[in-house]
Amino acid sequence: MNLLTRGRRPHTKKESTVGTNETSEAVTGLGSGHSGDNPPPATARRGGFVYVMSNQETGNSVTVFTRDVYGNLTRKGTYPTGGLGVGRSYDLEDTSDPLVSQGSLIASADQRFLFGVDSGSNEVSSLAVDGERLRLVSRVSSGGVRPVSVAVHGNLLYAVNATDGSIAGFRVGEDGSLTPVDGSRRPLIGGAGAGPSQIQFTPDGTRLIVTERQTNIIDVFPVDAYGRVGEPVRNQSAGLAPFTATFLGDVLMVTEIIGAPGFLGSMSTYHVNRDGTLQVISAAVTTTELTTCWTANSVLDPSVVYVANAQSGSIGAFRFNERGEITLFPADGHIAVSKNSHATQDMAITNDGLYLYVLTAGIDEKIADPRLPTYVEGTPYCDKMSISAYRIEANAGLTTLKGFGVADDPPRVVSPGVLAPSAGGLAPGSEGIVAF
C-alpha cells in the first residue's frame, strides 16, 4: 500500500497582481543536482499573499503581505483579532516562539478564512480573507487556558490549550463564525503538565492527534459524527519532546525537539491504526541540527518535507519512500541557513509550491539564551523578527531571496538627529504564518 498518496487533497490557487523581479542573494546547493536553476518564466507563475500573526500581549493581529511572481513581499495592512497574544519583547521566554507550537495560525481548505489563537485572552478568532484585506468574523473562548494550536477539517475546528492541558471543538459556519460543540472539551492524557505543541486531524477527520512535548506522549482522540471526541489513546513518542503532528498522505509525521542522541533534533513517522494506536514506520531519524521543530510539505516534490531547526538557524529536509520511511535530505542535513544563523520558526509554502517563507527570530538562539552553554554574555534577545524567503528549485534545493525585515522599512528622519521609530520587521514573539 502506498501510504503517501492516500488522503491527499488538491491545492487551490488565488490570483493576484504581479510585480518586478528581485535578484536572489544566494544559492544553496545540495550535494548533487543543480540548485539555483533558472526560475520558471513569469507566465507560469502567480502572485499571492502571506499572513503573519503578531501574538502580542498588547493586542493580537494579523499582518498581510502581498507576494509578487518572483517571491518578493510587500507589507500591507494589519488587522486586529480583538484578542490578546503572549509575545513580549522584554521577556526572554516570550521573544522567540513563546507558544512553542505549530498551527497557531491556519487557513480553511478553501482559503476563505484564517483561524488563529489569542493565547493571552484564552480565545480563538476567525477572519474572512479577501486578498490583502481581512475581516474579523468571530472570537470565542478556547474552552481552556492559553490555546497554542488549532486544526480544522471541513466545518469542524479544534483548539488545544497548554496551561490546563485540554482540547475543545467548534463548528465553523458558512460565514466563518465559530460555535462551541457541546460536550467536546476533553483533558489531555498528560493534563496540565502535557506541554502540547500541535493538534491535527487525520486526513479522513475521524481522529485528532495531539503531541505532548513535556510527557513524550502522543494522544489520539476518536471523533464521532457529531464532532465530539472520545477518550484518548496513549502512545509513547519514538523520540523525545514530540512537536509537530502533520500528515503526508496517511503517514503521520512528528518532529522531536531533542531526538534520539539527546541533543540533535529528529523526526518519526507512524501509521495511525483504527483503534488509535500508532505503528512506528521510522523511529527518531536524527538530523544534524539542533531543535528540529516546524515542518512544511513540498508541493513540487511530494516526497520531500522541509524542517526548521531553531537553534541551528537552518532549514533541512526529509525524503519519504512509498512506505512512509524517511531519510535525511540532503545527507549532511543542510539546505539553507538563515541570515546570521537567527532562529528559524514557523514555515509556509505557497500554493504553487515555488516559494518557502520562514518566520525568523531576531536572535541567534544559541548565543542569546543564557540557559544554554553556548551563551555569549551581552547578546540582545529582543530584536525584531523577519521573514526569510526561498525559491524552491526542481531538485528541492532552496535559493535565498530578499524576504522581509527591518531594512525594508528603515527609520525616517523627523528632524536633525531625531529618528522616528522604525515600523520595519516584525514584533518579537510573532507566531504563525500562512502563505497562498
Side-chain angles (χ1 to χ4, degrees), residues 391-414:
R391 187 176 70 239
I392 302 175
E393 307 297 348
N395 70 336
L398 300 175
T399 297
T400 303
L401 303 177
K402 181 181 178 182
F404 179 84
V406 176
D408 296 295
D409 190 5
R412 59 182 175 84
V413 177
V414 177

Side-chain angles (χ1 to χ4, degrees), residues 249-267:
D250 279 352
V251 175
L252 171 64
M253 305 177 291
V254 178
T255 56
E256 293 113 7
I257 298 176
I258 302 174
F263 64 97
L264 295 176
S266 63
M267 177 185 279

Side-chain angles (χ1 to χ4, degrees), residues 132-154:
E132 65 181 70
R133 294 180 175 83
L134 301 177
R135 175 176 55 83
L136 179 64
V137 174
S138 186
R139 190 176 70 254
V140 297
S141 168
S142 67
V145 181
R146 198 178 173 107
V148 294
S149 178
V150 288
V152 66
H153 186 275

